Amino acid sequence: LASLSQQQQYTKNQVVSGGGGTWDTGHMGLTLSNGDLTASHPSADGYLGGRATELLSAGKHYFEVLIDPSSVAAGSINIGVADASFGTAERLAVAGAFSWQGSGAHIIDGVYTSGYTAFAPGDVLMFAVDIDAGHLWLGKNNVWNEGDPGAGTGAIITTVPSNIYPALSCYTTGSIVAARFSLADFDYTPPSGY
C-alpha cells in the first residue's frame, strides 16, 4: 500500500515522471528502437538529435536517460531540454536548449561552460525540472551534481522557460541512449514532490 501511495505522489504533478512518453518519431534525426525509447546514431559522424513527445509546460518533472553500456562514446552526447525550435540535425547547444555534455560541460541557452561532471557508457543520468521556478537539476547514478531538487535549492540552471521538451543530440556513430520516461522504468526514486 505504501508503494501505491508513493506512485500516486510521483504521477500527480508530472507529464514525464511516471507519465510515459517516448522520443518523438516526427522530430528525431537518430534511429529509434525499443518502443521509441532508445536512440542511436546511425551513420557518419555529425550532429543528429531530437526531442521527446511530452511537452513540459508547468509543474515539476523528473526523467532519466541511460547511456547504453555498448555506446561507443559519451563525450559528444548532449542530454537536456529544449524548446520546439530545436532541430534534428544540430547539437543541443543552441538558444532555447539547456544540456549536459558527456565530456564534462553544461550548456545554458547556447553558452558552453566546461569543467562540469562527465558521464560515460553505463551511467544513468537524472533530470529534475521545475518549470514554474525555471530550475533544472542534473544528477548521475543516484547522486545530484548540485543542490537538492526536493528542497528546491542549488539548481545548476535557473532560467529554464516553460514549453520545453526532453531532448538529446549525438555526434559519434554508435552513440546509444535509452530514455526512461515512465515510473516503472526509473532506476532511482524521483525527488520529493516530483
Side-chain angles (χ1 to χ4, degrees), residues 127-144:
F127 298 84
V129 186
D130 182 341
I131 297 294
D132 300 333
H135 293 171
L136 173 66
W137 289 265
L138 309 172
K140 177 176 79 171
N141 302 330
N142 207 26
V143 176
W144 293 104

Side-chain angles (χ1 to χ4, degrees), residues 16-60:
V16 173
S17 293
T22 64
W23 294 120
D24 188 343
T25 58
H27 196 87
M28 180 60 66
L30 299 161
T31 299
L32 297 177
S33 60
N34 187 30
D36 296 332
L37 291 171
T38 300
S40 58
H41 196 299
S43 56
D45 290 353
Y47 277 106
L48 296 174
R51 67 178 190 227
T53 56
E54 299 294 334
L55 174 68
L56 312 180
S57 60
K60 296 179 178 181

